[in-house]
């Protein structure tokens, strides 16, 4: 199932192999502010060291037993037992897939500051239904994220993926990939309720591909059930 590999798209190259179950630390460094002006003959001023955050984690073991007797193998007329390895592989992929996406779905605590990933402190959260206006706000909030602690350097991270439950799949694709601004009511795919109607003749700025840029892609998490989880 290709969708079970979507976690790799989110994580990217940030995958590390572990050889034990000890606690591992990963360093998240801040940055430097803009360079200072230096007049002729003047000395250069020193930068303060970048602040840093440490994230700690440890691997956990997962597994189950599937008892198979000699009699079961001998009586397996439908060859169901031969599918056991395939089904176990699918279970393992599902486990890893949910493990990664659950960091978002369960709003896990970020070790760097002991605050939930999505939190007003991080200026990155809303509990409202997805609309074009709120999606534009979320993109702006992500681009304005700063480095750790006192190093207020903008990360300038352009969102790469929009992760939604299947209830929002159609709306997400229309918002992200339409050439023109979708003619829909905010928060409604069917257009049965709402107050604002967008102009379908206006270019859809969310579709960055129209400008030859790398744009967002949509990832559908079928096991998510909250339509406001996006």
């Amino acid at each position: 199932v290709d969708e079970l590999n979507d976690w790799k798209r989110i994580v990217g190259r940030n995958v590390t192999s572990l050889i034990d179950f000890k606690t591992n630390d990963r360093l998240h460094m801040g940055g430097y502010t803009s360079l200072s002006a230096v007049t002729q003959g003047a000395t250069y001023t020193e930068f303060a060291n970048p602040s840093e955050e440490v994230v700690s984690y440890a691997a956990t073991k997962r597994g189950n037993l599937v008892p198979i007797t000699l009699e079961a193998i001998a009586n397996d007329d439908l060859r169901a037992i031969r599918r056991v390895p395939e089904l176990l592989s699918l279970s393992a992929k599902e486990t890893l897939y949910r493990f990664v996406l659950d960091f978002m779905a369960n709003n896990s605590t970020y070790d760097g500051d002991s605050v939930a990933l999505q939190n007003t402190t991080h200026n990155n959260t809303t509990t409202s239904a997805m609309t074009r206006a709120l999606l534009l706000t979320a993109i702006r909030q992500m681009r304005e994220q700063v480095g750790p602690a006192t190093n207020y350097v903008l990360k300038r991270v352009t969102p790469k993926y929009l992760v939604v439950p299947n209830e929002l799949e159609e709306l997400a694709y229309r918002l992200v990939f339409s050439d023109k601004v979708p003619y829909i009511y905010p928060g409604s795919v069917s257009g049965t309720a709402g107050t604002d109607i967008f102009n379908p003749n206006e270019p859809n700025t969310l579709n960055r591909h129209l400008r030859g840029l790398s744009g967002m892609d949509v990832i559908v998490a079928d096991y998510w059930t909250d339509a406001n989880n996006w």
Side-chain angles (χ1 to χ4, degrees), residues 25-77:
D25 296 329
R26 292 293 179 265
L27 185 65
H28 180 202
M29 292 186 64
Y32 297 104
T33 57
S34 300
L35 299 177
S36 303
V38 182
T39 58
Q40 183 177 355
T43 58
Y44 289 82
T45 57
E46 291 187 7
F47 261 137
N49 291 327
S51 55
E52 59 187 40
E53 297 172 342
V54 176
V55 176
S56 301
Y57 67 97
T60 56
K61 184 168 58 176
R62 302 289 184 94
N64 292 91
L65 292 174
V66 180
I68 299 176
T69 64
L70 178 61
E71 290 81 0
I73 296 175
N75 296 330
D76 187 23
D77 296 333

Side-chain angles (χ1 to χ4, degrees), residues 71-86:
E71 290 81 0
I73 296 175
N75 296 330
D76 187 23
D77 296 333
L78 299 179
R79 300 185 177 183
I81 293 178
R82 295 188 180 187
R83 292 201 59 208
V84 169
E86 175 188 346

Side-chain angles (χ1 to χ4, degrees), residues 82-187:
R82 295 188 180 187
R83 292 201 59 208
V84 169
E86 175 188 346
L87 295 175
L88 287 174
S89 174
L90 187 62
S91 176
K93 293 181 69 173
E94 179 82 29
T95 300
L96 187 53
Y97 168 79
R98 294 192 181 212
F99 173 78
V100 175
L101 268 66
D102 276 352
F103 281 102
M104 293 179 285
N106 297 336
N107 201 14
S108 302
T109 299
Y110 174 58
D111 285 351
D113 57 8
S114 299
V115 176
L117 289 173
Q118 287 88 40
N119 188 275
T120 53
T121 302
H122 295 154
N123 190 33
N124 67 347
T125 185
T126 177
T127 57
S128 300
M130 184 173 67
T131 66
R132 186 172 190 272
L134 282 179
L135 183 55
L136 288 168
T137 297
I139 292 172
R140 174 183 56 79
Q141 289 175 327
M142 191 166 184
R143 291 174 64 95
E144 293 177 353
Q145 291 294 312
V146 298
T150 58
N151 295 112
Y152 298 111
V153 180
L154 290 178
K155 292 181 178 295
R156 295 180 177 84
V157 177
T158 301
K160 193 171 183 179
Y161 299 110
L162 173 60
V163 187
V164 297
N166 54 28
E167 290 87 349
L168 296 178
E169 179 178 8
E170 181 182 354
L171 177 59
Y173 274 100
R174 293 171 75 177
L175 290 176
V176 172
F177 294 112
S178 296
D179 292 342
K180 303 294 184 179
V181 173
Y183 189 75
I184 56 176
Y185 292 90

Side-chain angles (χ1 to χ4, degrees), residues 162-224:
L162 173 60
V163 187
V164 297
N166 54 28
E167 290 87 349
L168 296 178
E169 179 178 8
E170 181 182 354
L171 177 59
Y173 274 100
R174 293 171 75 177
L175 290 176
V176 172
F177 294 112
S178 296
D179 292 342
K180 303 294 184 179
V181 173
Y183 189 75
I184 56 176
Y185 292 90
S188 171
V189 175
S190 61
T192 56
T195 55
D196 298 326
I197 300 177
F198 298 115
N199 183 358
N201 296 317
E202 180 183 347
N204 182 17
T205 55
L206 283 172
N207 189 344
R208 290 168 57 87
H209 300 285
L210 295 176
R211 292 175 282 161
L213 303 174
S214 176
M216 277 194 301
D217 199 359
V218 174
I219 293 178
V220 181
D222 289 311
Y223 78 99
W224 286 8

